[in-house]
Amino acid sequence: MANQEEIKKVELQFNQEIEKIGQESDLEQLRIKYLGRKGLLTMMLRSLKDMPLEQRKVIGPMANKLKETFEHHLQIKKEELKAGGEIKQSIDVTRPGKKINLGHLHPLSIVLRQVVDIFNGLGFAVAEGPEIETEYYNFDALNLPAEHPARDMWNTIWLDGSKSQNQKERLLLRTHTSPVQIRYMQSHKPPVRIISPGQVFRFEATDQTHHFQFWQLEGLMIDEDINLGHLRYIIEAFLSRFFGRKIQSRFEPSFFPFVEPGLQFSISCPFCKSKGCSSCQKLGWLEMGGAGMVHPQVLRNVGYDPKKFQGFAFGLGLDRLAMHKYHIPDIRLFYNGDLRFIRQFKL
Ligand code: FA5
C-alpha cells in the first residue's frame, strides 16, 4: 500500500527518467511505466480504496496531484521532442522548493563560545598554543623535569621518531593546556589575564567521563598582589554566569608541580543547590578541575620575578562542563558523530 515516502520516491524516479528521454517512443514507454493500466502510479491510486479513511485523506490528494503533474510533464516533453528539443520545460513555480539543510554548531563549540564570551566579560583575553608540543613546554617548563614521578599523572602520546631528538625538543600531543601559559608568559610582560581553550590528548581508555581526546580550558592571571581570593572570585563568577545561577566553590588541597599550593575545586551542584541529585551523584558538589598559585619556579622559567609577581592558574575540562550543563550522560557522544545527538543542539 502506498505511503508518502513511496510517492516521493516514485516522483523522484519519474523526474530522473524523463530528463534522460530523447525520443517519443521512449516517452510512451515511460507513460506506460507510470500511468499505464499496471503503471506504478496507477497501482498506487488503486490501492487507495483499501486504505483506512484517515490515511486515504492524506495519500489520495497527493497521488492525484502527482498524476496531473506527470501528465503535464509528459505533454511538455512530447512537444519538446516534436520541436527537436527546442522547447525548454517550463518551470512549475507552484511546486514546493527543496528544503536546504543548514549546518549548525557542535555542542562543544556552543559551550566554547559561551565560555569565551563570559571570560572576555571578566577581562580575560584568549591565547592559543599548538596541539603538537615539545616535551619542554608540556613538562620541563612547568616544573616537571625528566624522570619526575608526577609526569605519570599524564599518560602521554609521544610522536614517532621524537625519541631520537634532543630531550627537550621531543614531540608529543599536549596532555593539557598548561603549556600555553609558558608560551604566553615568554612573549608577554605581566600583567597577564588569559584563558586558553584547546584540545588535549591522553593515552587513556575511554569510559563515560573519560576520552583520549578532550577539551580543556586553562586560566592564568598574573600581577602584583594576586591571591587565592581572586581565583575563587573568578571561578564563582564564571560558573554562576555559565549555569545561570549562583554557584559556590569548594577548594581542597591537591598536587600539581606547577602550582603551590595546588588545589582541586568543586562547585555547588547547580541542579539541586547542593541538596544531592543524580547529576552530582547525591554529593551536592561537582568536581571541576585543578588550580593553584603559579609556582615561583615556573615564573622564573619564563623570566618573571616571583618576588614581584604572583598569580593563579586553573584548568578545567570543557567536555565535563558541557555534560553538566546539558545533562549529557556520556562524553563519547561528543565524538562518535551520531547526528541524532548532534541535531538536538540545532538552535
Ligand atoms: C590538568 O591537566 C592540569 N593541567 C590542570 C591545572 C591547570 C592544574 C593549572 C593547576 C593549574 P587534570 O589532569 O586534573 O589537570 O585535568 C583537568 C580537568 O580535565 C579535569 O578536572 C577534568 O575535568 C578534565 N579531564 C581530565 N582527564 C580527562 C579525560 N580523560 N576526559 C575528559 N576530561 C578529562
Side-chain angles (χ1 to χ4, degrees):
M1 230 182 283
N3 59 33
Q4 294 187 43
E5 279 298 305
E6 268 176 55
I7 291 186
K8 281 188 193 142
K9 230 163 90 185
V10 166
E11 183 180 14
L12 187 72
Q13 193 181 330
F14 175 87
N15 287 340
Q16 285 169 349
E17 287 177 23
I18 198 169
E19 192 68 25
K20 290 185 200 140
I21 282 187
Q23 46 190 12
E24 277 192 75
S25 55
D26 292 342
L27 194 61
E28 179 55 12
Q29 288 304 318
L30 187 76
R31 189 192 66 75
I32 294 169
K33 179 172 173 189
Y34 287 89
L35 300 178
R37 238 166 26 93
K38 291 194 174 158
L40 288 174
L41 189 57
T42 314
M43 297 309 280
M44 281 185 175
L45 284 162
R46 258 188 221 150
S47 70
L48 284 174
K49 64 177 179 345
D50 303 322
M51 275 180 199
L53 182 63
E54 283 309 306
Q55 198 181 352
R56 203 183 321 151
K57 275 190 192 159
V58 181
I59 303 294
M62 268 180 93
N64 278 315
K65 177 95 184 68
L66 195 59
K67 185 173 177 221
E68 275 174 31
T69 311
F70 281 7
E71 283 166 349
H72 176 68
H73 285 310
L74 285 164
Q75 183 59 32
I76 288 188
K77 187 80 184 183
K78 197 169 172 182
E79 286 167 20
E80 187 184 322
L81 291 173
K82 266 201 183 125
E86 272 173 18
I87 301 175
K88 287 274 164 272
Q89 188 167 331
S90 61
I91 295 169
D92 181 356
V93 289
T94 61
R95 292 187 63 191
K98 280 190 190 141
K99 193 166 172 251
I100 298 170
N101 240 342
L102 285 181
H104 63 95
L105 291 178
H106 187 277
L108 285 175
S109 305
I110 295 174
V111 166
L112 180 62
R113 288 188 182 196
Q114 292 169 352
V115 166
V116 168
D117 266 0
I118 296 171
F119 272 106
N120 282 344
L122 290 166
F124 284 72
V126 174
E128 287 184 334
E131 288 170 0
I132 295 180
E133 255 309 354
T134 63
E135 184 172 348
Y136 176 76
Y137 283 105
N138 198 76
F139 290 126
D140 297 65
L142 287 162
N143 204 24
L144 272 150
E147 316 305 336
H148 193 298
R151 281 196 182 193
D152 291 348
M153 289 163 70
W154 294 276
N155 300 313
T156 309
I157 300 174
W158 295 92
L159 294 189
D160 256 3
S162 58
K163 295 279 172 199
S164 59
Q165 295 158 11
N166 167 4
Q167 183 256 320
K168 290 188 176 169
E169 293 294 309
R170 288 193 298 189
L171 296 177
L172 47 81
L173 293 181
R174 68 177 175 191
T175 57
H176 50 175
T177 39
S178 300
V180 186
Q181 291 182 23
I182 305 292
R183 289 186 177 275
Y184 190 85
M185 287 192 283
Q186 275 181 339
S187 54
H188 295 79
K189 291 205 169 88
V192 171
R193 206 188 270 206
I194 54 156
I195 53 159
S196 164
Q199 293 206 70
V200 302
F201 309 85
R202 295 189 189 175
F203 189 64
E204 270 178 26
T206 57
D207 62 24
Q208 267 181 287
T209 52
H210 293 84
H211 212 272
F212 56 85
Q213 166 195 0
F214 58 99
W215 282 78
Q216 274 194 346
L217 177 84
E218 193 80 7
L220 178 70
M221 184 169 178
I222 307 278
D223 205 340
E224 298 178 23
D225 298 325
I226 298 289
N227 58 49
L228 283 177
H230 296 110
L231 168 65
R232 185 162 198 169
Y233 172 79
I234 292 293
I235 295 282
E236 288 186 358
F238 159 62
L239 289 163
S240 299
R241 290 177 202 189
F242 181 74
F243 286 108
R245 59 191 77 173
K246 177 105 188 78
I247 298 286
Q248 282 182 334
S249 60
R250 185 173 76 175
F251 289 83
E252 291 156 275
S254 184
F255 175 71
F256 298 95
F258 32 92
V259 283
E260 180 56 41
L263 305 161
Q264 188 168 294
F265 62 95
S266 316
I267 57 163
S268 55
C269 177
F271 308 110
C272 63
K273 301 199 177 108
S274 282
K275 289 194 188 85
C277 65
S278 59
S279 293
C280 58
Q281 288 155 352
K282 308 245 179 278
L283 297 171
W285 295 90
L286 294 175
E287 196 196 305
M288 277 289 147
M293 297 300 289
V294 179
H295 197 289
Q297 186 55 43
V298 173
L299 296 175
R300 267 182 233 113
N301 289 346
V302 295
Y304 285 10
D305 177 0
K307 291 213 175 81
K308 190 161 175 215
F309 296 105
Q310 320 81 44
F312 64 76
F314 63 86
L316 48 85
L318 269 187
D319 306 66
R320 302 252 180 104
L321 213 53
M323 287 167 77
H324 290 318
K325 181 153 183 175
Y326 296 116
H327 296 277
I328 295 166
D330 195 318
I331 191 171
R332 291 168 290 199
L333 287 166
F334 290 129
Y335 300 98
N336 67 8
D338 186 340
L339 290 177
R340 290 170 305 176
F341 167 70
I342 306 287
R343 286 199 181 119
Q344 293 176 54
F345 295 86
K346 197 166 183 170
L347 295 177

